[in-house]
Amino acid sequence: MKPSVIPTDPIALLPLRGGVLLPGTVTTIPVGRRKSVRLIKALADGGAERPQVVVGVQRDPRINDPTVADIQPLATIAEIISVKQAASAALIITVRGLERVAIETMSSSRPYWHVEVAPAPTSSNDSHRAKALAEALGAQIREVSEDDAGALARLVDETEPADDPGLFADRVASLLELTHERRVHILLTLDAVDRVEAVTELAGETLARGEVEEKIRRSVRDAFKDHQRENILRQQLKAIRKELGEGGEGGTDDLADRLGAMDLPEEVRETVDRELKRLEALQPGQAEYNVVRTYLETIADLPWTDRAETHDDIQRVSAVLDADHYGLDKVKRRILEHMAVLKLSGNPRGTILCLAGPPGTGKTSLARSIAEATGRPFVRIALGGVRDEAEIRGHRRTYVGALPGRLIAGLRKAGAKNPVMLLDELDKLGRGAFSGSPEAALLEVLDPEQNAVFTDHYLELPFDLSEVLFICTANDLGRLSAPLRDRLEIVSVEGYTRAEKRQIARKHLLPKQLANHGVGNAPESATDEASAGESTARPSLQVTDGAIDRIIGDYTREAGVRQLERELIRLCRAAALAVARGETDGLTVDADGIVEHLGKPKYRDEVAERTALPGVATGLAWTPVGGDILFIETSRMPGKGRLEITGQLGDVMKESARAALTYVRSHATELGVDTDALAEQDLHLHVPAGAVPKDGPSAGVTIFTALTSLLTGRCVRSDTAMSGEVTLRGRVLPVGGIKAKVLAAHRAGIDRIILSSRNDRDIDEVPEDVRDQIEFILVDDMSQVLAAALEDAPVDTPLGGLGGFVGKGPGDGSSDGPQPMSAAPGRPAR
């Protein structure tokens, strides 16, 4: 027996998460834990040539700062042979195990671990049985071929097993491929006889494994002499699984079990069984293997029968919609009606809602709120720019990299077959000529009578979409094909009034941005005892209602609230900068202080200014981003009775201009127009914003009024706008987009609107507070339009009309000319 090297004083401990050091062995250990790194550096700098350390084994490798209870009771005292710096902050040390010790207590754990140890003597190490077993173990090792156990054979040649049976067993165990648990078992075995017996059994397993491996190699070499190395390895794997008696190939058992446990439709089950048989017959190295496996995994991931638990409480849905969206009462009522029908009928096949309106009016967030209120998963599919029909219906599996379409992918992500699926920007679908029409692919999806058996090209199996609550959004319904639009129930979301925008800014936009920019006004309770009972408040930004109204009127011209939110963000940034600089603890912005932070107003009341001259009329237009006002300008010059039209107008609008001029000429005497002047003068009609294309028949009334104003010298009232199609006989026909046009007129401060009498029913769609502030004049004939739109007395103008006005205008004391319009609510007059 060698003399003991165990110190009597506490010694440093190096705990290992996953390794085991046995006595009599030399090994390298990576050290990465900070406390362990400090320990090794301290030992290396201590001056000892080969410092000693106790190498222990943690019971749980996840513990970062173990106590004595977390360490195995037996450890190995070792000497550090070398220390090397790794590429990172870790160290690589080489240690030699000396002998076993028993850890009694941990004397300290800072700055690193120190433990008190005692000898752990090996019993029966000098017994005849132990020596005989060691000799038998050495003989057994010699039977192993040198290729398979060269290190073991060299150990037997260099060592006399009977001199120290226990140490010999430790050294043999360190060379065997053992699991961590088995190595720990060898470390904890104190009796030499038991330890040698355990190592002998493990060595026998190594010998048997070597024989099996050799048998497998011979079998594979005979069958595949000329195959490449990769194929040889695959066949070795197959032979191993055969020797173990395991079925399946390439780990397909888990996938087969998963698919077998699913409740699949009969047609899907037949396909799954067929594809599983194909997968088992394929080698993992074959290209078709991954194609089939990916296909089966996609089927396994789909919610064929899984449904989300839904809430059908209409009051709950209503409360969520009201909390998330201000206004839009008719839109929310239509959504509630739709949800009520689904609840009472129990039939998921219903109409498909399409929320149509300008950007920024809350269409997408409405769909998200529906999902939140009903407890359904929410899936948003952005269709903007999608040009390929395969994006909707998927790619066929014959293509490399084929994937299912966006609908199936969305359901796979949702994990339920009854989500709320938002088809966003439906009108932005591309018109691919070579890749099919994605819009046409949606016809089956959005048809309640067909989508119960929707077939994706990738799956080639019917999937039931009837329980999906589809909601679409669009800005311009004119871009949708007639068959697709026929499948949708249109719910118009035209925009917000000024009062609604003020409330949205106050209740939603401003609190959100105050929080985002750190200038909210929520109180913070004091935490230390000295200031108990006191509270502090974060710096805040206060924006008055007058300031919000001025932002709405002078800095935005939109149907939605996105630009309004951007302007509020600018105010929040200004407040955050002032607070960060220490200039103020809070900032209050009123209507007069808006210019200081947002600059000069972007928009001005230009209606009165433009219509101060004869020949200018204010019209109303509908655009995909909401309603707007436009000005029709006319002028005259010496010529031969020709009509010049500019402003990038479409064919329909040009025809409206010619029809209006024909009506003026045919009724010149009634209108008070000099017929001789018409033959000797050229007329020029222009619609400003020349870079913007314009078209449509609804400007016919406005064009006629502008021409009549020019030729009679009577100005158009500055508080009046109009919209309507005019016939060659002077009849005024109805047009669309009335709600959006009226809201645009209200934003511009218009007080009077002229419409066809057949648009009477459309006025009911306008919010009540807007209807109360606007006078609607319903007409059937152009004579009624002129009576309502033109000032009574003409003003003096030179031949050029717009170019050289010398008569009296508004603000010069004339009582005949149009007066400046009154200020709109919350908006200063100019």
Side-chain angles (χ1 to χ4, degrees):
M1 292 291 294
K2 296 181 180 179
S4 175
V5 295
I6 301 174
T8 58
D9 297 327
I11 186 171
L13 170 70
L14 177 64
L16 302 183
R17 297 180 189 268
V20 178
L21 175 65
L22 294 173
T25 63
V26 177
T27 187
T28 57
I29 301 175
V31 180
R33 193 162 16 194
R34 292 183 180 179
K35 190 180 291 188
S36 299
V37 171
R38 290 198 298 267
L39 164 64
I40 299 302
K41 288 183 177 179
L43 293 175
D45 297 336
E49 182 179 355
R50 290 190 175 183
Q52 292 186 351
V53 65
V54 173
V55 180
V57 181
Q58 287 186 209
R59 299 178 186 269
D60 187 352
R62 295 172 295 181
I63 298 176
N64 191 52
D65 193 4
T67 63
V68 68
D70 301 319
I71 305 296
Q72 295 287 354
L74 295 181
T76 302
I77 190 169
E79 61 179 6
I80 301 176
I81 300 174
S82 66
V83 179
K84 296 181 180 179
Q85 181 71 44
S88 59
L91 301 175
I92 301 294
I93 65 172
T94 303
V95 296
R96 175 184 287 110
L98 300 178
E99 62 178 287
R100 283 176 177 78
V101 293
I103 299 177
E104 294 186 339
T105 61
M106 182 176 289
S107 60
S108 65
S109 60
R110 295 290 184 273
Y112 31 79
W113 301 277
H114 281 82
V115 293
E116 294 181 359
V117 297
T122 302
S123 60
S124 67
N125 194 44
D126 295 329
S127 67
H128 293 294
R129 178 171 173 76
K131 294 181 179 181
L133 288 172
E135 291 288 356
L137 175 59
Q140 185 183 33
I141 292 175
R142 291 187 182 94
E143 297 179 5
V144 182
S145 66
E146 186 174 352
D147 291 339
D148 290 334
L152 288 172
R154 287 193 298 272
L155 173 63
V156 174
D157 293 337
E158 298 169 0
T159 309
E160 183 57 41
D163 289 348
D164 192 336
L167 181 62
F168 178 73
D170 288 336
R171 298 181 67 182
V172 171
S174 68
L175 297 176
L176 298 177
E177 295 181 2
L178 304 180
T179 63
H180 177 73
E181 290 74 18
R182 287 185 171 183
R183 290 185 184 277
V184 172
H185 174 70
I186 298 298
L187 175 67
L188 300 180
T189 303
L190 290 175
D191 186 82
V193 172
D194 294 340
R195 195 187 315 157
V196 176
E197 287 180 341
V199 173
T200 300
E201 181 180 354
L202 295 174
E205 292 179 4
T206 301
L207 177 60
R209 185 168 59 248
E211 292 177 350
V212 173
E213 291 175 349
E214 179 60 27
K215 179 181 178 181
I216 292 172
R217 283 195 293 269
R218 285 197 304 268
S219 175
V220 172
R221 281 197 300 266
D222 293 340
F224 301 96
K225 291 182 179 179
D226 298 330
H227 280 201
Q228 296 180 356
R229 179 175 178 274
E230 181 179 357
N231 288 335
I232 293 176
L233 294 174
R234 299 295 183 188
Q235 292 303 317
Q236 285 182 335
L237 178 61
K238 182 177 180 180
I240 291 172
R241 295 180 65 85
K242 183 177 179 180
E243 288 291 330
L244 295 175
E246 296 180 359
E249 172 70 25
T252 62
D253 291 344
D254 292 341
L255 181 58
D257 293 343
R258 183 181 171 193
L259 289 167
M262 296 179 65
D263 183 13
L264 300 175
E266 181 178 355
E267 182 178 352
V268 179
R269 174 62 64 191
E270 293 176 356
T271 301
V272 166
D273 293 342
R274 183 178 66 250
E275 294 298 321
L276 277 174
K277 291 180 181 178
R278 287 185 59 202
L279 186 64
E280 292 176 355
L282 293 171
Q283 298 298 327
Q286 295 179 260
E288 187 69 13
Y289 177 87
N290 288 328
V291 174
V292 176
R293 185 177 181 88
T294 303
Y295 176 70
L296 290 172
E297 288 176 345
T298 301
I299 293 178
D301 290 340
L302 288 176
W304 296 94
T305 56
D306 297 334
R307 296 173 177 83
E309 184 178 353
T310 61
H311 311 291
D312 56 4
D313 185 355
I314 300 301
Q315 296 300 329
R316 171 188 170 92
V317 177
S318 177
V320 173
L321 290 177
D322 289 339
D324 293 346
H325 300 83
Y326 184 85
L328 303 177
D329 294 334
K330 293 186 177 181
V331 176
K332 289 188 283 191
R333 178 177 176 81
R334 179 62 192 90
I335 293 173
L336 292 176
E337 291 173 351
H338 183 77
M339 301 305 299
V341 171
L342 292 179
K343 175 183 178 180
L344 297 179
S345 67
N347 182 9
R349 300 184 184 183
T351 55
I352 309 296
L353 295 182
C354 178
L355 305 178
T361 52
K363 301 184 294 297
T364 301
S365 57
L366 274 170
R368 196 182 302 274
S369 296
I370 294 172
E372 177 185 349
T374 58
R376 296 171 180 244
F378 178 72
V379 179
R380 175 180 175 268
I381 298 179
L383 298 178
V386 173
R387 299 178 300 169
D388 193 347
E389 174 251 359
E391 294 281 347
I392 306 298
R393 301 186 66 97
H395 300 79
R396 299 192 182 277
R397 282 187 291 150
T398 53
Y399 295 103
V400 176
L403 292 171
R406 295 196 181 193
L407 298 174
I408 296 298
L411 289 168
R412 185 180 185 180
K413 180 180 179 181
K417 65 181 301 184
N418 59 340
V420 173
M421 185 170 288
L422 175 67
L423 303 181
D424 209 6
E425 307 293 355
L426 188 62
D427 56 325
K428 307 300 189 304
L429 281 170
R431 302 293 192 271
F434 302 102
S435 305
S437 171
E439 188 179 81
L442 285 173
L443 296 179
E444 179 186 1
V445 175
L446 299 180
D447 189 343
E449 300 300 325
Q450 300 182 47
N451 60 15
V453 288
F454 170 74
T455 302
D456 186 275
H457 288 328
Y458 181 81
L459 291 179
E460 294 183 336
L461 293 170
F463 192 94
D464 185 4
L465 299 179
S466 63
E467 297 184 40
V468 177
L469 180 56
F470 286 105
I471 298 178
C472 307
T473 68
N475 299 133
D476 185 2
L477 294 176
R479 293 177 58 86
L480 302 183
S481 65
L484 181 59
R485 185 168 179 174
D486 183 61
R487 286 163 166 76
L488 306 174
E489 179 168 349
I490 308 301
V491 180
S492 296
V493 188
E494 295 294 353
Y496 300 103
T497 65
R498 290 190 180 189
E500 289 174 337
K501 289 183 178 181
R502 184 191 312 119
Q503 293 298 325
I504 292 172
R506 179 65 65 195
K507 295 181 178 180
H508 298 281
L509 303 182
L510 192 55
K512 172 185 173 183
Q513 296 306 327
L514 288 175
N516 290 345
H517 290 78
V519 289
N521 54 9
E524 298 178 345
S525 300
T527 55
D528 77 18
E529 297 179 359
S531 59
E534 299 179 0
S535 64
T536 60
R538 296 193 299 270
S540 62
L541 168 66
Q542 300 293 335
V543 183
T544 65
D545 286 344
I548 293 177
D549 288 339
R550 188 166 185 190
I551 293 174
I552 295 171
D554 291 356
Y555 294 87
T556 67
R557 278 287 192 274
E558 60 175 346
V561 292
R562 284 182 181 164
Q563 184 60 34
L564 174 59
E565 184 173 21
R566 294 188 189 102
E567 299 300 332
L568 293 175
I569 289 175
R570 293 178 63 188
L571 287 181
C572 292
R573 290 202 302 263
L577 179 60
V579 172
R581 286 177 170 175
E583 299 173 357
T584 179
D585 291 334
L587 185 63
T588 300
V589 179
D590 56 15
D592 295 333
I594 285 293
V595 176
E596 178 184 352
H597 301 288
L598 301 185
K600 293 182 179 180
K602 297 179 181 179
Y603 303 96
R604 52 189 298 182
D605 294 332
E606 56 184 343
V607 178
E609 176 184 341
R610 291 207 183 194
T611 56
L613 303 176
V616 181
T618 306
L620 299 174
W622 179 93
T623 70
V625 296
D628 202 356
I629 64 171
L630 55 80
F631 297 97
I632 305 295
E633 297 181 347
T634 57
S635 184
R636 53 182 174 172
M637 64 209 82
K640 299 181 180 180
R642 292 168 298 191
L643 175 64
E644 179 71 18
I645 302 175
T646 58
Q648 202 172 165
L649 308 186
D651 292 339
V652 176
M653 205 166 179
K654 291 178 180 179
E655 292 173 357
S656 297
R658 296 188 185 97
L661 181 58
T662 299
Y663 183 84
V664 170
R665 284 174 170 168
S666 62
H667 295 77
T669 303
E670 302 171 21
L671 299 174
V673 176
D674 185 359
T675 55
D676 294 335
L678 283 175
E680 298 171 355
Q681 297 173 3
D682 288 343
L683 301 180
H684 189 158
L685 185 146
H686 178 69
V687 183
V692 179
K694 312 166 194 70
D695 204 1
S698 64
V701 169
T702 314
I703 294 173
F704 172 81
T705 303
L707 289 172
T708 304
S709 170
L710 173 71
L711 297 173
T712 60
R714 298 164 61 188
C715 290
V716 179
R717 292 185 55 163
S718 61
D719 60 352
T720 302
M722 61 201 75
S723 182
E725 181 179 359
V726 63
T727 70
L728 205 56
R729 299 293 183 178
R731 301 294 297 173
V732 179
L733 303 181
V735 291
I738 296 301
K739 181 180 179 181
K741 294 177 179 178
V742 172
L743 292 176
H746 180 255
R747 290 194 296 268
I750 300 294
D751 297 329
R752 301 168 75 244
I753 296 179
I754 301 174
L755 298 171
S756 169
S757 60
R758 292 163 63 181
N759 281 124
D760 184 27
R761 63 189 303 273
D762 298 312
I763 298 177
D764 296 336
E765 301 294 326
V766 178
E768 184 177 357
D769 60 328
V770 176
R771 293 202 306 267
D772 293 340
Q773 299 177 49
I774 294 180
E775 177 187 356
F776 292 95
I777 303 168
L778 303 179
V779 297
D780 294 305
D781 189 85
M782 280 306 305
S783 60
Q784 298 172 297
V785 175
L786 297 180
L790 298 183
E791 299 282 358
D792 293 334
V795 296
D796 297 329
T797 61
L799 183 61
L802 291 177
F805 176 67
V806 294
K808 297 179 179 179
D812 62 0
S814 171
S815 60
D816 295 331
Q819 300 300 313
M821 58 178 285
S822 59
R827 184 176 184 180
R830 303 181 215 226

